[in-house]
PDB file of all heavy atoms in Angstrom:
ATOM      1  N   ARG A  79     -48.055  -5.853   2.774  1.00 93.00           N
ATOM      2  CA  ARG A  79     -48.601  -6.710   3.836  1.00 93.00           C
ATOM      3  C   ARG A  79     -47.598  -6.865   4.982  1.00 93.00           C
ATOM      4  O   ARG A  79     -47.980  -6.962   6.148  1.00 93.00           O
ATOM      5  CB  ARG A  79     -48.976  -8.079   3.266  1.00 93.00           C
ATOM      6  CG  ARG A  79     -50.262  -8.033   2.412  1.00 93.00           C
ATOM      7  CD  ARG A  79     -50.619  -9.398   1.894  1.00 93.00           C
ATOM      8  NE  ARG A  79     -50.899 -10.343   2.978  1.00 93.00           N
ATOM      9  CZ  ARG A  79     -50.870 -11.659   2.847  1.00 93.00           C
ATOM     10  NH1 ARG A  79     -50.549 -12.190   1.665  1.00 93.00           N
ATOM     11  NH2 ARG A  79     -51.150 -12.452   3.846  1.00 93.00           N
ATOM     12  N   GLY A  80     -46.350  -6.915   4.615  1.00 94.00           N
ATOM     13  CA  GLY A  80     -45.310  -6.989   5.633  1.00 94.00           C
ATOM     14  C   GLY A  80     -45.319  -5.748   6.504  1.00 94.00           C
ATOM     15  O   GLY A  80     -45.182  -5.825   7.738  1.00 94.00           O
ATOM     16  N   PHE A  81     -45.506  -4.607   5.853  1.00 95.00           N
ATOM     17  CA  PHE A  81     -45.572  -3.342   6.603  1.00 95.00           C
ATOM     18  C   PHE A  81     -46.776  -3.364   7.545  1.00 95.00           C
ATOM     19  O   PHE A  81     -46.686  -2.953   8.707  1.00 95.00           O
ATOM     20  CB  PHE A  81     -45.648  -2.188   5.593  1.00 95.00           C
ATOM     21  CG  PHE A  81     -45.786  -0.832   6.237  1.00 95.00           C
ATOM     22  CD1 PHE A  81     -44.962  -0.431   7.275  1.00 95.00           C
ATOM     23  CD2 PHE A  81     -46.750   0.067   5.779  1.00 95.00           C
ATOM     24  CE1 PHE A  81     -45.087   0.824   7.857  1.00 95.00           C
ATOM     25  CE2 PHE A  81     -46.890   1.318   6.360  1.00 95.00           C
ATOM     26  CZ  PHE A  81     -46.056   1.692   7.404  1.00 95.00           C
ATOM     27  N   ASP A  82     -47.900  -3.910   7.008  1.00 94.00           N
ATOM     28  CA  ASP A  82     -49.098  -4.024   7.857  1.00 94.00           C
ATOM     29  C   ASP A  82     -48.808  -4.870   9.095  1.00 94.00           C
ATOM     30  O   ASP A  82     -49.245  -4.559  10.200  1.00 94.00           O
ATOM     31  CB  ASP A  82     -50.257  -4.672   7.079  1.00 94.00           C
ATOM     32  CG  ASP A  82     -50.747  -3.772   5.956  1.00 94.00           C
ATOM     33  OD1 ASP A  82     -50.465  -2.550   6.023  1.00 94.00           O
ATOM     34  OD2 ASP A  82     -51.390  -4.286   5.014  1.00 94.00           O
ATOM     35  N   PHE A  83     -48.039  -5.964   8.873  1.00 95.00           N
ATOM     36  CA  PHE A  83     -47.719  -6.861   9.985  1.00 95.00           C
ATOM     37  C   PHE A  83     -46.982  -6.089  11.086  1.00 95.00           C
ATOM     38  O   PHE A  83     -47.312  -6.182  12.265  1.00 95.00           O
ATOM     39  CB  PHE A  83     -46.848  -8.033   9.482  1.00 95.00           C
ATOM     40  CG  PHE A  83     -46.446  -8.996  10.573  1.00 95.00           C
ATOM     41  CD1 PHE A  83     -47.227 -10.105  10.875  1.00 95.00           C
ATOM     42  CD2 PHE A  83     -45.283  -8.787  11.321  1.00 95.00           C
ATOM     43  CE1 PHE A  83     -46.860 -10.987  11.886  1.00 95.00           C
ATOM     44  CE2 PHE A  83     -44.906  -9.668  12.330  1.00 95.00           C
ATOM     45  CZ  PHE A  83     -45.702 -10.772  12.607  1.00 95.00           C
ATOM     46  N   TRP A  84     -45.994  -5.326  10.681  1.00 95.00           N
ATOM     47  CA  TRP A  84     -45.200  -4.607  11.691  1.00 95.00           C
ATOM     48  C   TRP A  84     -45.991  -3.460  12.320  1.00 95.00           C
ATOM     49  O   TRP A  84     -45.750  -3.101  13.466  1.00 95.00           O
ATOM     50  CB  TRP A  84     -43.876  -4.117  11.095  1.00 95.00           C
ATOM     51  CG  TRP A  84     -42.958  -5.256  10.752  1.00 95.00           C
ATOM     52  CD1 TRP A  84     -42.460  -5.573   9.543  1.00 95.00           C
ATOM     53  CD2 TRP A  84     -42.472  -6.262  11.655  1.00 95.00           C
ATOM     54  NE1 TRP A  84     -41.683  -6.702   9.600  1.00 95.00           N
ATOM     55  CE2 TRP A  84     -41.671  -7.153  10.893  1.00 95.00           C
ATOM     56  CE3 TRP A  84     -42.650  -6.525  13.014  1.00 95.00           C
ATOM     57  CZ2 TRP A  84     -41.045  -8.268  11.444  1.00 95.00           C
ATOM     58  CZ3 TRP A  84     -42.005  -7.631  13.572  1.00 95.00           C
ATOM     59  CH2 TRP A  84     -41.226  -8.492  12.790  1.00 95.00           C
ATOM     60  N   LYS A  85     -46.928  -2.908  11.545  1.00 94.00           N
ATOM     61  CA  LYS A  85     -47.772  -1.869  12.146  1.00 94.00           C
ATOM     62  C   LYS A  85     -48.611  -2.472  13.276  1.00 94.00           C
ATOM     63  O   LYS A  85     -48.932  -1.824  14.265  1.00 94.00           O
ATOM     64  CB  LYS A  85     -48.681  -1.235  11.081  1.00 94.00           C
ATOM     65  CG  LYS A  85     -47.991  -0.078  10.352  1.00 94.00           C
ATOM     66  CD  LYS A  85     -48.946   0.857   9.663  1.00 94.00           C
ATOM     67  CE  LYS A  85     -49.662   0.184   8.513  1.00 94.00           C
ATOM     68  NZ  LYS A  85     -50.428   1.133   7.698  1.00 94.00           N
ATOM     69  N   ALA A  86     -48.935  -3.774  13.068  1.00 95.00           N
ATOM     70  CA  ALA A  86     -49.723  -4.448  14.108  1.00 95.00           C
ATOM     71  C   ALA A  86     -48.839  -4.946  15.253  1.00 95.00           C
ATOM     72  O   ALA A  86     -49.348  -5.391  16.277  1.00 95.00           O
ATOM     73  CB  ALA A  86     -50.487  -5.621  13.485  1.00 95.00           C
ATOM     74  N   HIS A  87     -47.522  -4.933  15.032  1.00 94.00           N
ATOM     75  CA  HIS A  87     -46.585  -5.388  16.076  1.00 94.00           C
ATOM     76  C   HIS A  87     -45.520  -4.312  16.257  1.00 94.00           C
ATOM     77  O   HIS A  87     -44.358  -4.518  15.923  1.00 94.00           O
ATOM     78  CB  HIS A  87     -45.926  -6.716  15.675  1.00 94.00           C
ATOM     79  CG  HIS A  87     -46.893  -7.829  15.449  1.00 94.00           C
ATOM     80  ND1 HIS A  87     -47.534  -8.032  14.246  1.00 94.00           N
ATOM     81  CD2 HIS A  87     -47.371  -8.787  16.288  1.00 94.00           C
ATOM     82  CE1 HIS A  87     -48.335  -9.087  14.339  1.00 94.00           C
ATOM     83  NE2 HIS A  87     -48.268  -9.551  15.578  1.00 94.00           N
TER      84      HIS A  87
END
Side-chain angles (χ1 to χ4, degrees):
Chain A
R79 286 181 62 200
F81 177 49
D82 293 340
F83 179 91
W84 292 120
K85 273 200 293 189
H87 300 85

